[in-house]
Each structure stands twice: as C-alpha cells, then as structure tokens.
Amino acid sequence: MSQLARGVGYGVVSRGGTLFFMEKVLCCTGHRPSKVLWLNEQSSDEYISLLETMGYKLQTYLNEGYDYFISGMAQGIDMIFAETVIQFKEHYDLNIKLECALPCLNQTEKWNNDDIQRYNAILSKADIITVISEEYNEKCMMERNMYMVDHSDTVLGFWNGKKSGGTWNTIHYAQLRHKETDIVRI
C-alpha cells in the first residue's frame, strides 16, 4: 500500500512523480447497485436526483477549499463520485486531485465488461492510485474504507439508513475517528 503523509498542507507523490499539496480531503462512501436497485437505472428520477445532489455537494466542498478527493472505486456510488470529480475537473479546468483507493488489484474480476471499461476509464484519469492488497482477501474492502477515512478530513456518505454493511461500517468508523461526516439518505 502506498503511504500518504498527513497534516495541513501535506504532500503526496503521484505515480508520475509529481508532488501535490492539499489543504482539505474528502472521501465518499456509498452503496452498490445490489443495495440500491435504482443505481442501475440511469434514466430514473432517483438516479438523476442523486447526480444533482452529488454535483451540489461537490460544488459546496470545492467552495469550502477541498481540493483532494478519494474514491474507493466500488460499483455504484463510488464510481459515480469519481466520475463527478473528473467532470468538474475537466469542465471547469480545476486544479483538484482524484485518488482511487483500490481494495485489491483483482477488484473487477466478477464484473461485467461495461463496468470494467467504466472502471478503467476512471483509473486512466486518476491522479493517484492506491492499492491496499495485491489480491482479494476478507479484510481488504474494510481496510480500503479505513484508509479512505484515515486520509480524509470529511466523509461524504450516501446511505440507505441500514446499520449494516460496508457503507454503514465506514460511516461508523469515521464517527469513531472523529471525522466530519456528511450523510445523504438514499
């Protein structure tokens, strides 16, 4: 796993050797389509509302000085968040950074081809890719979530209200670590 130095105005060396200085870091956690079925229906009112909310939240954080964003790159909310960051970065020519925190190198092993292409397109535009484990193991997903929380100032969570599963565990861990949490109920 790559290491990030923490502190106000800390630096990170990217895979290209560039040193970035960040002031505020936001990570995002949320459900996969298996937990929120309308995430597979991009023309649904719920999905469109989610995109609007995510765009509004991201703009709010940009206005507050956040300039570094971490996605766990799971299907669903994580990838939507990463794509939103990329869209803002490209459309507004912003000097912001996207880190993709991968639980393991074979995360997409059971995914369909469309999702794998989408995943790879995001990774190709990421400023930093952090890999927690070479291969999948029973702890790598939670270790990835803990990594994101530990390296963020604020955790943005898109949560269905159920106190079980990875999204809830990440939100709960953030609260235990006294991180700011911003929860959007979906």
Side-chain angles (χ1 to χ4, degrees):
M1 173 175 69
S2 66
Q3 297 294 314
L4 300 179
R6 288 294 292 141
V8 176
Y10 55 94
V12 174
V13 178
S14 75
R15 58 188 163 153
T18 305
L19 184 63
F20 300 119
F21 290 96
M22 295 102 40
E23 294 298 327
K24 291 185 172 183
V25 181
L26 174 77
C27 74
C28 183
T29 187
H31 296 291
R32 295 183 177 112
S34 61
K35 298 267 177 125
V36 181
L37 298 179
W38 53 259
L39 285 173
N40 286 320
E41 301 171 25
Q42 295 183 0
S43 62
S44 71
D45 290 342
E46 294 93 344
Y47 191 91
I48 292 167
S49 178
L50 169 74
L51 292 179
E52 291 170 353
T53 300
M54 193 169 288
Y56 172 79
K57 288 289 188 181
L58 186 57
Q59 183 62 60
T60 300
Y61 283 107
L62 288 167
N63 292 343
E64 292 176 8
Y66 285 77
D67 60 357
Y68 194 92
F69 304 91
I70 305 173
S71 169
M73 292 300 291
Q75 291 168 306
I77 297 296
D78 290 14
M79 287 179 33
I80 294 168
F81 176 73
E83 290 169 332
T84 304
V85 171
I86 291 166
Q87 288 170 359
F88 269 72
K89 182 176 182 174
E90 292 176 349
H91 183 73
Y92 298 109
D93 194 30
L94 297 173
N95 186 25
I96 59 176
K97 305 300 176 217
L98 173 64
E99 177 180 357
C100 294
L102 311 181
C104 56
L105 288 176
N106 58 342
Q107 178 175 357
T108 63
E109 191 172 84
K110 296 179 181 179
W111 293 12
N112 66 48
N113 284 335
D114 289 341
D115 285 342
I116 292 171
Q117 287 179 5
R118 188 175 166 200
Y119 178 90
N120 288 332
I122 294 167
L123 291 182
S124 74
K125 295 181 179 185
D127 297 290
I128 296 174
I129 298 171
T130 302
V131 177
I132 303 302
S133 175
E134 294 293 317
E135 292 187 18
Y136 174 82
N137 64 65
E138 64 185 35
K139 295 179 184 177
C140 69
M141 299 293 184
M142 191 58 198
E143 287 174 349
R144 180 265 326 268
N145 296 342
M146 292 167 64
Y147 168 87
M148 293 191 321
V149 169
D150 290 342
H151 292 86
S152 295
D153 300 299
T154 301
V155 176
L156 173 60
F158 289 83
W159 178 51
N160 66 7
K162 295 183 181 174
K163 293 184 176 185
S164 63
T167 300
W168 165 246
N169 289 336
T170 304
I171 292 167
H172 184 66
Y173 178 74
Q175 292 168 341
L176 290 173
R177 301 283 295 162
H178 305 290
K179 300 288 183 162
E180 270 191 55
T181 55
D182 182 1
I183 309 302
V184 177
R185 291 293 294 267
I186 58 172

